[in-house]
């Protein structure tokens, strides 16, 4: 939704090693020069956070890894 803010908790399963591809419904702009891509933690049961807002065309994102 235009103007919406979202928080996603990303959890690896007990095996780990899964990747994540950002959707195509907006242009992703990731804080810190992420180039529109993120690399999630790959360890078993790893927890990451993706926080973003949508401005009608861009998804402005902050990504944090390895919560423990």
């Amino acid at each position: 939704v235009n103007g919406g803010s979202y928080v996603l908790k990303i959890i690896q399963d007990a095996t780990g090693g899964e990747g994540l591809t950002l959707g195509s419904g907006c242009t992703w702009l990731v804080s810190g020069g992420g180039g529109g891509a993120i690399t999630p933690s790959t360890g078993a049961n790893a927890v990451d956070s993706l926080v973003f807002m949508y401005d009608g065309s861009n998804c402005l994102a902050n990504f944090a890894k390895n919560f423990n």
Side-chain angles (χ1 to χ4, degrees):
V1 174
N2 189 355
S5 295
Y6 306 91
V7 177
L8 301 178
K9 182 178 180 182
I10 303 163
I11 305 171
Q12 288 282 357
D13 62 17
T15 305
E18 299 297 330
L20 179 68
T21 302
L22 299 174
S24 60
C26 63
T27 299
W28 286 91
L29 304 173
V30 180
S31 177
I38 61 171
T39 303
S41 301
T42 56
N45 303 307
V47 178
D48 300 334
S49 172
L50 177 63
V51 178
F52 67 96
M53 63 181 175
Y54 179 63
D55 69 4
S57 59
N58 298 305
C59 289
L60 307 168
N62 284 304
F63 180 65
K65 295 173 72 166
N66 288 325
F67 286 84
N68 54 31

